Amino acid sequence: MLCCFSWLLPLAVVITIALDVLVVESFTSSSQLSGKKNSASPRIETDCFHLHERPTAVAAATPRREEIRYIAGRRALLLHPTTSSKQPVDHPPLIILGGMAQSIASWEFHLPHFAKDRSVLIYECLGQGPLPPEEICSKANVDTYYADVSLERQGSDFWNVVDEAFENDGKVDVVGFSFGGRVAMAAAVSQPNRIRRLHLTGVAAERDEYANVLLVSWKEMLGANDVDIIGGKEETNNSRLRAFAWSIILATYSEQFLASVGAARVHTWVDGVCKFNTQNGLKAILLQTHGGEGQWTPASMAEEMKGSVESYKLVVGSNDKMASPDQVLRLAQLLGTQDESKQDNCCRVVENCGHAVPFEAMRLWREDVIKYLT
């Protein structure tokens, strides 16, 4: 399943706040259409959205924020609840994993809301983000650094980062979007029964043929059939990376949403993808984590992790070109039954959204996550 293909606006928060236009929250619920309850299948909850005048932003309590640093070799950011919070901190840490071409900055607007009553960790998986400092990866050793970015490796890395960040082996909650959702599933396979609640967006059992076409085109754009890129090359303005960024944005967001934000804004997102990612890293993720068979496909991982996660919630946009709603429902079926109170609403389809539900329907998505986790 190609749910992994997302980049997400590394500079979106800065741009949005600077312009005082919360365009990513310009979709609000106008009605709810619930699918018929079927005892044999998880229920899909459907929400319809329409564009409307921009909402008034509500400031979230500012959490205590650490500086971005490297934890277990991965670029990460930790946030902690404010000490003045009236609600006791009794929730497990929340780990956030973004889409393939995303960075920590992509999630800046969401983070304060999630960190009101719990610690939150977001980190960039191996292959995501900028090239790390020399002490972690010298420019001469780029090829070696990206030699193994497989989902098996990512699942193992996940727990190395979590255990170093929190210095314990307790349970965590996980929110995964697209590629990050598949990494979360790999983590659940790697260490069963350590993920309490799992919220996945844009993750499906299999990719359809159109998604396969997109996958092949992205591999070509990033030079999958070329001689390896020279490790020390400056990649910010690399033409292949820019072409990939444009293509993945057009495939990730719905046409309606892109038309509403305009070409100039999208151009800044392309700049952000190129600034916060490397061609080598993204190419490695594409080549190593998107096989259609084997133990590390979403369908196979769902079977293997069945019963090892306390509960799960799946979200998908109705116009998702990467993860079709039908295949998301199939993934829910493969994951198996869970607590009855969760089972009836384990799948949610957000109408008029593409793959990037967390950013097209930002407020609704965030509220869905918070409600589910609490």
Side-chain angles (χ1 to χ4, degrees), residues 186-256:
V189 171
S190 176
Q191 293 197 28
N193 302 310
R194 283 198 63 187
I195 294 179
R196 187 187 70 131
R197 294 182 181 176
L198 179 62
H199 190 287
L200 302 177
T201 302
V203 183
E206 294 181 12
R207 68 177 69 92
D208 60 22
E209 284 308 309
Y210 182 77
N212 279 324
V213 170
L214 289 171
L215 174 60
V216 171
S217 74
W218 291 338
K219 289 179 179 179
E220 289 281 334
M221 288 177 191
L222 291 178
N225 298 321
D226 294 352
V227 176
D228 287 344
I229 302 165
I230 298 173
K233 182 176 180 181
E234 173 61 52
E235 296 180 308
T236 299
N237 295 311
N238 185 284
S239 60
R240 284 188 178 277
L241 188 56
R242 291 193 70 82
F244 167 78
W246 277 104
S247 179
I248 204 168
I249 291 169
L250 293 174
T252 297
Y253 288 90
S254 67
E255 295 175 5
Q256 181 187 22

Side-chain angles (χ1 to χ4, degrees), residues 243-284:
F244 167 78
W246 277 104
S247 179
I248 204 168
I249 291 169
L250 293 174
T252 297
Y253 288 90
S254 67
E255 295 175 5
Q256 181 187 22
F257 183 80
L258 290 176
S260 73
V261 300
R265 182 69 61 81
V266 175
H267 193 280
T268 65
W269 299 347
V270 171
D271 292 341
V273 171
C274 296
K275 178 179 180 180
F276 288 97
N277 291 278
T278 69
Q279 184 175 339
N280 278 302
L282 295 181
K283 183 173 76 169

Side-chain angles (χ1 to χ4, degrees), residues 295-310:
Q295 177 186 2
W296 302 101
T297 63
S300 296
M301 288 190 288
E303 292 280 7
E304 193 166 346
M305 60 185 276
K306 189 178 296 183
S308 70
V309 174
E310 186 177 299

Side-chain angles (χ1 to χ4, degrees), residues 163-201:
D163 291 343
E164 182 172 316
F166 298 106
E167 299 181 348
N168 63 57
D169 58 358
K171 289 195 173 187
V172 296
D173 290 341
V174 184
V175 170
F177 168 58
S178 195
F179 168 70
R182 296 196 304 135
V183 171
M185 294 180 72
V189 171
S190 176
Q191 293 197 28
N193 302 310
R194 283 198 63 187
I195 294 179
R196 187 187 70 131
R197 294 182 181 176
L198 179 62
H199 190 287
L200 302 177
T201 302

